[in-house]
Amino acid sequence: YEIEMKNCYPVLEDEIHQDGIDLTVYETWIYWDSLLKGVFKRAELVRHLVKAMEDQEDHFEQDSDSKRSYSSAAVAHVPSAQGDGLRRRNNLIKQRTNIEENIGDRTTKGDMKVSDRSPSIEKSPKNVPAEAVIRSSFIMPYMRNIWKRLCGTSDKRTRKTESKLKRNPRRNIVSASQTVFTVNVLSLLVCTALQTFAVVLQQREQRQFRWGNADSLTAIQTLITQILALYTNLCSAKQDGRIYNHFGWQMYLWAGIAFICPVLATAFLSFQGWLSPLLYFGGTAGNACLGVLLCSSIKTAKDEARQESVPLDQYVAAIGGLVVICQAYSPTEMVKHENFKTCEQSGFCTRNRAYADRVTSKGSSWTSPYWIDGGLEAKDGRLSGVILKKVDGRSEEVRLPVVITFLESGTVRVTVDEARRQNGDIELRHGSQVRKERYNELSSWVLVGGLNTDSSIAVNSDEENTVVKYGPNKKYEAVIRHTPFSIDFIRDDHVHVSLNGRGLMSMEHWRPKVEKEVKETKEGEEGAKEENLETTELSTDESTWWEESFGGNTDSKPKGPESVGLDITFPGYEHVFGIPMHAAPLSLKETRGGSGNYDQPYRMYNSDVFEYEMDSPMTLYGSIPFMQVHRKDSTVGVLWFNAAETWVDVVKSKVSSNPLSLGIGGRTDTQTHWFSENGLLDIFIFLGPTTQDVIHSYSELTGYSPLPQHFALGYHQCRWNYVSDEDVRDVDRKFDKHKIPYDVIWLDIEYTDGKKYFTWDPHTFPDPLGMQKQLDEHERKLVIIVDPHIKNEANYPVVDALKSKDLGIKSKDKVIYEGWCWPGSSYWIDCFNPAAVEWWKELFTYKSFKGTSSNTFLWNDMNEPSVFNGPETTMPKDNIHHGNWEHRDIHNLNGLTVINATYEALLHRDSPHKRPFVLTRSFYTGSQRLGAMWTGDNLASWSHLVASIPMTLSMNIAGFPFAGADVGGFFGIPSHELLTRWYQAGIFNPFFRAHAHIDSRRREPYVPGSPYTEIITQAIRLRYQLLPAWYTAFHEASTTGAPIVRPHYYVHPSDEKGFAIDDQFYIGGTGLLAKPVTTEGAESVEIYISDRERYYNYFDYSIFYGAGKTHKVGAPLDRIPLLMQGGHIIPRRDRPRKSSGLMKWDPFTLVVVLGIRGNAEGTLYLDDGESFDFQAGAYIHRKFTFSDASQSLVSENLAEEGKKTKAYLKSMAKVRVEKIVIVGAPFDWMNKKEVLVLEDGKKEGRKTALKWHAAQAARASWAVVRDPGVGVGNGWKIDFS
């Protein structure tokens, strides 16, 4: 088996490329081949046959015609885009006559030699025919175990048979042909079983079956597959009459079962239950028995099977081809909407929306039933009091404690609780033992700073209102109205945020369930009365108060209804941003219907959504309930601080200042309505006034994105899955062969032993440390996946410890929760439990997780959590976490707790500490402190490429800048053009990773071939060239929260025409403006320029000028639309390397892009790229300034000295600036030949050469100073005067 990758691959590569076959699909077949090796152990015949074929090479050279037909036949078996290994195996049999004649002639001469030597990768002659390797790798290794397992052949008999085959190569080939047929039948049965399993999953999820959807198409496909398998078996019986003679009645019995069962199963699919799956299994069993009968016949067939009547090979090849087509065109839907709730299917969403409709219909006559009782008490920057809620038909009033906190930063927090739940004065249903309070521990997970209260607030109260002046210089004002309760937040004499201004506030208080008597309506009496429009309750319909069913699961709701809701209005604001993650435009749409709008609210309920749809408010993998609204020169924001399921309605209302003005001079108010299933009513208000101020205040509270290791900014290569450690080594070598830089290769779940995390598959990854050692030679890293579901299997130490230590999430019955995920039956670690975190940390130590090294990092997927058989593909809401909190309380927070545990584990693993790298799919506010995220399982389509840009921008303005989308699309097969354009877009993602599904072709950058490989390579090299600029942007994000990729409204807050632009963006503070091509066949793009600054094409210095309009920029396939804004200095490293780690000591180039006033400035941040030594001063932070007035370029120090500053500067002493490029160089430099270089600490300057290049056509003039000889960490001045 060792020849599979090492020896077959180099031979196949040349042969396949000669015949124009796509090599990538062959590699996919290698994956399936490797899976089977655990079942069919390799026989020594592999080596003998390969050697025999090598010895026949001379004979093939002599007979060119025979060789050509032989080679063509073999190449046809190499997997291509139109099929798979089944068809190729069978086509091989069709050519056996030619093969036998060639080999038989040589055999009769007695000169065939057999050797145990296995050819090596270096010694394999290039002229060895590909078919020899194909046959040895794909056919012969299965013979021994197929006969042994299916025909009852003993080891002794098998060895005797092998000996005969060695002596008689003709019989070798005939038996190989029969073996291929047997394997084909088995493959058909495997396909049938997989299709059947798909139907079983559908039934297990208890989804309503409907004809015409993807489920029904899958069922029909299953039926066709089983009938084709049956037909193949019957064709086999027709070929060999002995099956009729010896097994006639049995054959008819099993054939009847194989036919009738799938037909009946398909007919009964409309009925819920297990009948259809059982019948499908019956059909599979019938086909399996026929296969066994066939194998029994083959046992004694030998040469007699070669009859000249009906060619069995043609039957098998034809049927195999039909099955391949059936499998290849598997029906899919973009997303299975029936698996996820709409608002109408969510009880509390329906109630809150209906309440809003009822209130709106009453207009100004409506009065909110919430008011402040007895005023507010001010103490230490806080106001506290009680809000009373009037309840219909009851004398008592519900008490809701309220606290309004004013922070030094100018942020305000409003928190409303419920007294009875807070005091535990409620009764739980079903004997539940969960916590009675509303969830109040969110702050301990999310908030990390900025909580100092402003004790200097000025409070002025009367009976109707309380007015508070607060913030820096008391520039903010909060007006709290007592009856009904509402708050207006004022800046510059204008209301910017209003809470409960529309009276939609609601808190469903606890009440006991009262069984109501159902009265029979007599004839002539009125039916059910309409719902009372005067009620203060969300709804009098109790159908979803006490329990709620969806997806076959019933939510027990032990605490009854407990949703919270509030309207938040932004007067004068039209553009709304944030609340990721949704596949929607950056500027959020309205959600109450109308042309171009949504009719569903934006939902935040972290879910595993398969192939999510575009332009939708549907929930996805993560949630950040942070919203910004923007108008000209003003931004404000709110954070809805609740981790439960949340929906947000957005309506934009036109308000006219004069009824006769016909809309002229009016304004747009954005009205939002937020509601969560349970928890506190907890809100943070940010009054700006700039976008930078809002994001900084938010990041100060929830944490900044940390500075990652430098490698994390490079290119990441991933697919599900690289099939072996040798496969990883081979991919690594091919990147080097094609001179493509990359930093990280990733392993998905198949690296594990049976999907058991913290293990390696001993067959496919026998030497993980050796694999990582090869990666480490070029400073490359490995990322492996570890998900929070733990396989439930006997003799698996990890799950044994999870159960014995009681560290798993529990069901509502307080027993460990068992669900279904990739490993099958699984348990989930409860990372809310500190003991579970400590246990998790120990699992990642080198002692525990053998096969990992210091260059191994982590990927946490499926951490929403994803549960295949759970409601909405996640966990039941009444599951119980540590502290007896229900899962409904903390669902959106779950992913954060998982990556927190993994982050802590990586810190714990290495001493001294290195910066951890963890990728997460699920996230919440605060997750930015712990790692990177990606946008999940996207699709290889142009629409998903388009959507990836606003999705990444939305994450950046929501305080989570380390974000990106899978390059190329996870599902599907991108065209070469789409793949190329996606790489050109992906290099501008802060997190830059290519990923692909297990069923997709290989698509590494070297796969597409010329010219695509060269174009993709240049794009990746551009990413590496600009890594100094990217690292500097990451540093800024880690200290201020600033986005790494920035939308137009962030950079140009006064330009209203640019507020909604979400297909172009700026990179950090570099002035680089990118607009990736996202349209098929495009040769140019239109880039919008907001300001009056000059912009230059990054590659040829073409000039673009003109504010407030679009400019056409050429973008053929080999060009990336990238402009440089005048007035910036861009640091970069121009020497191409294999990885970012090998660039550590490379010199720098500074690109000085002069603005219209002749000035420019920029910064550079640099450290060791892996440790935390920068916290002790081991870093370089320089500011470069070019002044037109002094005609000089100056380097200034921005760093603060620490105890490790001097040592680091000494280590970087030889790293220099090797080139300075001045774009837009003045005309009067034309005759200038040199400049003066002055360095700090040196008395005399020195001169160095300058070369000026004249402007051409639309291109700017530019100049170059080569090797000025200045250290990048030193102070210096270059005088151009």
Side-chain angles (χ1 to χ4, degrees):
Y1 180 71
E2 285 77 6
I3 71 169
E4 178 188 69
M5 295 298 292
K6 280 189 177 180
N7 306 321
C8 300
Y9 190 85
V11 180
L12 276 169
E13 183 175 11
D14 291 344
E15 287 288 326
I16 292 168
H17 283 309
Q18 289 175 11
D19 289 77
I21 304 298
D22 187 356
L23 182 63
T24 62
V25 185
Y26 158 70
E27 296 175 329
T28 303
W29 172 247
I30 285 291
Y31 169 75
W32 294 105
D33 191 45
S34 67
L35 287 182
L36 289 174
K37 72 176 177 52
V39 179
F40 305 118
K41 297 181 181 178
R42 304 310 200 203
E44 290 298 319
L45 280 174
V46 177
R47 298 179 182 175
H48 300 323
L49 185 57
V50 172
K51 176 57 181 171
M53 290 301 181
E54 288 178 355
D55 292 341
Q56 303 310 308
E57 185 61 20
D58 293 339
H59 178 73
F60 290 119
E61 292 290 348
Q62 295 170 9
D63 187 354
S64 60
D65 292 339
S66 177
K67 177 186 176 182
R68 187 66 257 162
S69 63
Y70 182 28
S71 180
S72 298
V75 170
H77 308 138
V78 179
S80 65
Q82 285 73 36
D84 65 5
L86 282 175
R87 187 177 62 205
R88 254 74 59 192
R89 290 171 182 241
N90 297 309
N91 285 342
L92 184 60
I93 306 175
K94 292 176 62 177
Q95 306 299 328
R96 71 176 178 225
T97 304
N98 290 338
I99 298 172
E100 291 169 7
E101 290 174 356
N102 287 324
I103 298 180
D105 291 341
R106 294 289 290 164
T107 305
T108 57
K109 298 177 182 179
D111 57 357
M112 176 173 282
K113 299 178 181 179
V114 176
S115 169
D116 287 337
R117 179 180 64 84
S118 179
S120 66
I121 193 170
E122 295 85 1
K123 296 181 180 180
S124 294
K126 288 295 181 182
N127 59 351
V128 173
E131 61 271 18
V133 184
I134 293 172
R135 189 170 334 145
S136 63
S137 178
F138 293 163
I139 303 171
M140 295 303 295
Y142 304 110
M143 288 179 55
R144 174 176 180 171
N145 283 283
I146 287 174
W147 288 353
K148 177 180 177 181
R149 292 170 183 266
L150 297 180
C151 306
T153 307
S154 65
D155 288 341
K156 182 177 180 180
R157 174 70 178 275
T158 303
R159 289 192 294 271
K160 182 177 180 180
T161 304
E162 290 175 359
S163 177
K164 291 181 179 179
L165 291 176
K166 293 178 185 179
R167 294 195 300 270
N168 189 341
R170 179 184 296 273
R171 184 166 296 168
N172 183 327
I173 300 302
V174 174
S175 300
S177 173
Q178 298 163 356
T179 304
V180 169
F181 173 76
T182 305
V183 172
N184 198 1
V185 173
L186 293 175
S187 300
L188 287 169
L189 295 176
V190 169
C191 293
T192 305
L194 291 176
Q195 292 285 17
T196 305
F197 183 65
V199 177
V200 171
L201 285 181
Q202 292 168 7
Q203 295 292 334
R204 179 164 183 163
E205 293 174 14
Q206 299 183 30
R207 297 201 306 267
Q208 182 61 42
F209 181 89
R210 296 192 305 271
W211 288 104
N213 66 4
D215 294 351
S216 64
L217 294 176
T218 300
I220 294 172
Q221 180 177 314
T222 306
L223 172 64
I224 294 173
T225 304
Q226 292 207 5
I227 298 301
L228 287 176
L230 171 62
Y231 184 59
T232 304
N233 278 326
L234 294 178
C235 289
S236 310
K238 182 176 180 181
Q239 173 68 31
D240 193 342
R242 286 165 301 176
I243 295 183
Y244 285 110
N245 297 334
H246 297 286
F247 306 106
W249 70 270
Q250 298 178 42
M251 188 196 72
Y252 288 119
L253 172 64
W254 295 120
I257 293 175
F259 177 77
I260 294 173
C261 283
V263 172
L264 292 176
T266 306
F268 292 142
L269 274 173
S270 297
F271 301 95
Q272 290 289 342
W274 290 90
L275 179 60
S276 289
L278 289 175
L279 288 172
Y280 276 125
F281 274 124
T284 303
N287 271 313
C289 291
L290 283 177
V292 171
L293 297 181
L294 178 64
C295 292
S296 299
S297 176
I298 290 178
K299 174 181 176 182
T300 57
K302 298 186 178 179
D303 289 341
E304 291 88 352
R306 296 180 61 233
Q307 302 176 24
E308 299 300 329
S309 55
V310 181
L312 175 62
D313 306 331
Q314 295 179 15
Y315 277 113
V316 176
I319 301 304
L322 288 174
V323 174
V324 166
I325 294 173
C326 185
Q327 298 293 323
Y329 294 95
S330 179
T332 59
E333 285 184 278
M334 288 295 293
V335 61
K336 294 188 176 181
H337 289 279
E338 64 270 22
N339 287 358
F340 302 95
K341 289 183 179 181
T342 62
C343 183
E344 293 74 21
Q345 294 170 310
S346 168
F348 80 93
C349 182
T350 302
R351 297 196 299 271
N352 275 273
R353 261 196 158 188
Y355 184 64
D357 291 340
R358 206 160 57 241
V359 170
T360 302
S361 68
K362 293 185 68 64
S364 59
S365 65
W366 170 256
T367 300
S368 175
Y370 297 85
W371 72 90
I372 292 178
D373 179 38
L376 297 168
E377 180 183 352
K379 183 179 181 181
D380 298 330
R382 291 185 177 88
L383 300 181
S384 58
V386 174
I387 296 175
L388 296 182
K389 174 188 175 182
K390 178 183 177 182
V391 182
D392 294 330
R394 294 172 60 182
S395 57
E396 66 173 316
E397 294 157 338
V398 178
R399 298 179 62 82
L400 308 173
V402 59
V403 177
I404 305 172
T405 306
F406 298 86
L407 305 178
E408 290 180 349
S409 62
T411 301
V412 179
R413 181 180 188 180
V414 180
T415 307
V416 183
D417 204 340
E418 180 183 350
R420 290 194 67 173
R421 296 184 196 267
Q422 191 178 53
N423 299 328
D425 185 22
I426 67 172
E427 297 177 3
L428 301 177
R429 301 172 63 240
H430 311 302
S432 176
Q433 300 177 17
V434 299
R435 294 281 285 272
K436 296 180 179 181
E437 309 99 307
R438 292 178 179 267
Y439 185 64
N440 54 22
E441 296 181 0
L442 188 56
S443 296
S444 63
W445 286 102
V446 176
L447 303 182
V448 294
L451 294 173
N452 293 332
T453 58
D454 182 3
S455 58
S456 65
I457 60 173
V459 182
N460 185 15
S461 296
D462 57 31
E463 291 184 358
E464 296 182 354
N465 302 296
T466 297
V467 179
V468 182
K469 293 186 179 294
Y470 66 98
N473 302 318
K474 302 295 183 291
K475 63 181 180 180
Y476 304 139
E477 186 175 312
V479 178
I480 306 166
R481 186 180 179 188
H482 296 174
T483 306
F485 170 72
S486 66
I487 309 178
D488 289 339
F489 293 92
I490 300 172
R491 170 173 47 83
D492 302 327
D493 298 324
H494 290 89
V495 176
H496 291 263
V497 183
S498 179
L499 306 185
N500 202 34
R502 298 165 57 209
L504 303 185
M505 178 178 175
S506 65
M507 288 195 73
E508 292 186 315
H509 61 279
W510 179 84
R511 79 288 310 273
K513 183 178 181 181
V514 178
E515 301 296 340
K516 294 183 178 181
E517 181 181 355
V518 180
K519 295 183 179 180
E520 181 180 354
T521 303
K522 298 181 180 179
E523 185 177 354
E525 292 184 355
E526 294 183 358
K529 294 183 179 180
E530 293 184 4
E531 191 167 332
N532 180 13
L533 293 180
E534 301 295 333
T535 182
T536 61
E537 290 296 305
L538 293 188
S539 174
T540 57
D541 178 8
E542 300 184 12
S543 61
T544 57
W545 281 11
W546 309 107
E547 64 180 25
E548 194 168 344
S549 297
F550 185 82
N553 178 80
T554 298
D555 181 4
S556 61
K557 295 190 176 183
K559 294 187 285 187
E562 51 179 333
S563 75
V564 296
L566 184 69
D567 62 280
I568 305 176
T569 302
F570 305 97
Y573 288 88
E574 181 176 359
H575 290 280
V576 189
F577 307 100
I579 59 170
M581 180 170 63
H582 302 94
L586 180 67
S587 182
L588 302 181
K589 294 183 178 183
E590 296 183 57
T591 61
R592 282 292 197 155
S595 177
N597 297 325
Y598 303 137
D599 59 7
Q600 291 286 310
Y602 288 95
R603 190 185 187 202
M604 288 178 280
Y605 185 66
N606 298 355
S607 302
D608 182 0
V609 182
F610 178 88
E611 291 186 1
Y612 50 85
E613 65 180 356
M614 298 295 92
D615 195 15
S616 170
M618 185 178 183
T619 187
L620 290 177
Y621 309 95
S623 303
I624 299 179
F626 173 46
M627 176 182 283
Q628 300 173 40
V629 292
H630 183 75
R631 70 186 185 200
K632 186 176 180 179
D633 295 324
S634 178
T635 303
V636 296
V638 296
L639 170 63
W640 181 266
F641 203 51
N642 190 304
E645 178 187 357
T646 300
W647 303 74
V648 185
D649 262 322
V650 178
V651 175
K652 298 176 183 180
S653 174
K654 302 291 184 180
V655 180
S656 176
S657 57
N658 185 337
L660 302 178
S661 66
L662 300 178
I664 300 174
R667 73 169 195 260
T668 298
D669 292 349
T670 293
Q671 301 170 341
T672 64
H673 184 198
W674 303 65
F675 33 95
S676 296
E677 183 176 17
N678 64 328
L680 301 174
L681 200 163
D682 201 354
I683 311 141
F684 289 85
I685 309 297
F686 310 93
L687 288 187
T690 68
T691 309
Q692 292 88 332
D693 293 332
V694 171
I695 296 177
H696 177 75
S697 296
Y698 165 82
S699 299
E700 187 180 27
L701 284 173
T702 63
Y704 302 110
S705 181
L707 192 61
Q709 288 205 39
H710 195 271
F711 79 80
L713 279 61
Y715 172 54
H716 299 245
Q717 180 60 52
C718 182
R719 75 171 282 111
W720 175 29
N721 201 82
Y722 290 113
V723 300
S724 65
D725 52 16
E726 183 55 38
D727 190 13
V728 172
R729 294 172 192 252
D730 187 64
V731 171
D732 181 66
R733 288 190 292 263
K734 281 186 170 58
F735 269 88
D736 290 344
K737 177 182 177 181
H738 292 85
K739 297 181 173 58
I740 305 172
Y742 88 100
D743 268 80
V744 190
I745 193 165
W746 293 55
L747 293 178
D748 212 314
I749 194 171
E750 309 302 336
Y751 79 90
T752 62
D753 183 7
K755 296 181 174 58
K756 298 192 292 285
Y757 299 112
F758 308 101
T759 68
W760 297 86
D761 188 320
H763 302 292
T764 54
F765 289 88
D767 186 20
L769 290 176
M771 170 185 65
Q772 292 169 75
K773 183 178 180 182
Q774 176 177 316
L775 296 176
D776 199 43
E777 290 174 359
H778 293 148
E779 295 283 343
R780 288 168 178 155
K781 317 297 180 185
L782 178 73
V783 172
I784 58 175
I785 193 169
V786 175
D787 294 341
H789 51 257
I790 305 299
K791 185 173 185 177
N792 179 21
E793 180 177 280
N795 301 317
Y796 177 28
V798 175
V799 77
D800 292 341
L802 178 76
K803 291 188 290 185
S804 65
K805 296 177 183 291
D806 194 25
L807 302 177
I809 299 173
K810 295 179 175 60
S811 71
K812 63 183 178 182
D813 300 318
K814 294 288 284 186
V815 298
I816 190 168
Y817 173 71
E818 180 182 3
W820 200 265
C821 205
W822 292 122
S825 174
S826 303
Y827 300 133
W828 275 259
I829 180 174
D830 185 0
C831 291
F832 287 87
N833 187 344
V837 175
E838 292 301 315
W839 173 70
W840 190 253
K841 288 162 60 174
E842 293 300 322
L843 292 177
F844 288 93
T845 63
Y846 299 125
K847 180 180 179 181
S848 297
F849 196 172
K850 299 186 184 302
T852 58
S853 64
S854 60
N855 66 339
T856 305
F857 296 90
L858 274 301
W859 170 16
N860 289 155
D861 199 352
M862 316 298 286
N863 52 338
E864 292 80 18
S866 176
V867 183
F868 292 165
N869 63 329
E872 301 197 84
T873 323
T874 191
M875 195 166 281
K877 290 180 176 180
D878 49 8
N879 274 7
I880 302 175
H881 288 263
H882 174 75
N884 284 337
W885 293 110
E886 279 193 291
H887 185 72
R888 85 179 72 250
D889 298 318
I890 51 80
H891 173 83
N892 288 343
L893 187 61
N894 188 81
L896 181 151
T897 67
V898 174
I899 60 167
N900 173 72
T902 305
Y903 183 93
E904 293 293 331
L906 288 179
L907 278 179
H908 175 70
R909 184 187 69 175
D910 293 309
S911 183
H913 294 326
K914 292 184 179 180
R915 301 175 221 171
F917 174 80
V918 185
L919 179 72
T920 181
R921 188 171 73 176
S922 182
F923 54 85
Y924 184 71
T925 296
S927 295
Q928 70 272 7
R929 304 190 307 266
L930 304 167
M933 63 74 62
W934 91 107
T935 60
D937 297 341
N938 57 358
L939 189 64
S941 69
W942 289 94
S943 62
H944 276 256
L945 170 57
V946 171
S948 68
I949 298 173
M951 291 176 76
T952 303
L953 289 174
S954 184
M955 292 300 302
N956 271 259
I957 63 170
F960 200 152
F962 201 0
D966 283 341
V967 171
F970 179 63
F971 291 105
I973 302 174
S975 67
H976 289 337
E977 181 189 2
L978 174 58
L979 183 65
T980 302
R981 289 301 194 189
W982 211 317
Y983 269 100
Q984 292 175 340
I987 63 171
F988 300 117
N989 286 341
F991 175 59
F992 176 30
R993 183 185 76 158
H995 191 26
H997 190 268
I998 195 170
D999 291 335
S1000 67
R1001 300 182 197 172
R1002 288 288 174 106
R1003 59 169 88 141
E1004 288 75 16
Y1006 52 77
V1007 167
S1010 184
Y1012 306 102
T1013 292
E1014 292 81 2
I1015 297 172
I1016 293 171
T1017 300
Q1018 289 304 315
I1020 297 174
R1021 287 182 177 176
L1022 176 60
R1023 168 71 170 216
Y1024 277 78
Q1025 182 185 62
L1026 291 171
L1027 279 181
W1030 282 101
Y1031 199 60
T1032 301
F1034 270 83
H1035 172 260
E1036 183 181 358
S1038 71
T1039 55
T1040 68
I1044 294 171
V1045 289
R1046 301 173 179 178
H1048 254 261
Y1049 85 89
Y1050 182 95
V1051 180
H1052 304 289
S1054 300
D1055 181 19
E1056 294 177 297
K1057 291 173 63 177
F1059 290 170
I1061 291 177
D1062 59 8
D1063 59 355
Q1064 62 184 60
F1065 49 86
Y1066 290 84
I1067 301 170
T1070 63
L1072 287 169
L1073 175 60
K1075 182 169 184 176
V1077 177
T1078 58
T1079 305
E1080 186 174 9
E1083 292 290 328
S1084 64
V1085 297
E1086 297 287 335
I1087 297 184
Y1088 177 79
I1089 292 179
S1090 291
D1091 55 338
R1092 298 183 181 277
E1093 189 57 83
R1094 289 195 188 99
Y1095 285 74
Y1096 304 86
N1097 188 298
Y1098 181 85
F1099 302 99
D1100 62 13
Y1101 307 148
S1102 298
I1103 302 174
F1104 299 88
Y1105 180 79
K1109 58 184 180 180
T1110 59
H1111 301 261
K1112 186 176 182 179
V1113 179
L1117 189 61
D1118 61 347
R1119 297 298 295 271
I1120 301 173
L1122 180 63
L1123 304 183
M1124 300 182 291
Q1125 183 187 36
H1128 292 83
I1129 298 176
I1130 304 168
R1132 70 188 196 195
R1133 277 173 160 160
D1134 291 347
R1135 299 187 181 183
R1137 300 291 186 186
K1138 295 180 178 180
S1139 71
S1140 67
L1142 299 178
M1143 301 170 69
K1144 187 173 183 178
W1145 311 109
D1146 282 355
F1148 286 83
T1149 293
L1150 298 180
V1151 181
V1152 181
V1153 188
L1154 297 182
I1156 56 176
R1157 293 182 176 82
N1159 302 319
E1161 66 178 32
T1163 60
L1164 171 67
Y1165 177 85
L1166 195 63
D1167 59 27
D1168 65 13
E1170 61 178 20
S1171 75
F1172 289 94
D1173 287 352
F1174 68 91
Q1175 297 175 347
Y1179 66 94
I1180 291 170
H1181 195 192
R1182 309 297 301 185
K1183 179 180 180 181
F1184 306 110
T1185 305
F1186 185 91
S1187 170
D1188 178 65
S1190 63
Q1191 290 284 287
S1192 63
L1193 176 64
V1194 178
S1195 173
E1196 303 174 70
N1197 183 35
L1198 296 179
E1200 296 182 3
E1201 186 169 351
K1203 62 181 181 180
K1204 294 187 177 182
T1205 300
K1206 292 182 179 179
Y1208 179 71
L1209 291 177
K1210 183 177 180 181
S1211 70
M1212 298 294 290
K1214 294 184 179 181
V1215 179
R1216 70 188 197 284
V1217 177
E1218 69 170 349
K1219 183 168 61 175
I1220 298 173
V1221 179
I1222 301 93
V1223 181
F1227 181 77
D1228 54 10
W1229 288 8
M1230 179 175 62
N1231 297 320
K1232 187 178 292 293
K1233 301 298 181 184
E1234 57 187 16
V1235 296
L1236 180 64
V1237 179
L1238 303 168
E1239 293 187 81
D1240 291 354
K1242 294 184 179 181
K1243 296 181 180 180
E1244 298 182 359
R1246 55 185 174 79
K1247 294 183 177 181
T1248 190
L1250 177 143
K1251 186 175 182 180
W1252 185 83
H1253 301 265
Q1256 297 181 359
R1259 300 180 181 180
S1261 59
W1262 54 288
V1264 178
V1265 177
R1266 293 191 179 276
D1267 198 14
V1270 293
V1272 71
N1274 299 335
W1276 45 262
K1277 176 180 179 182
I1278 299 178
D1279 191 348
F1280 291 81
S1281 62

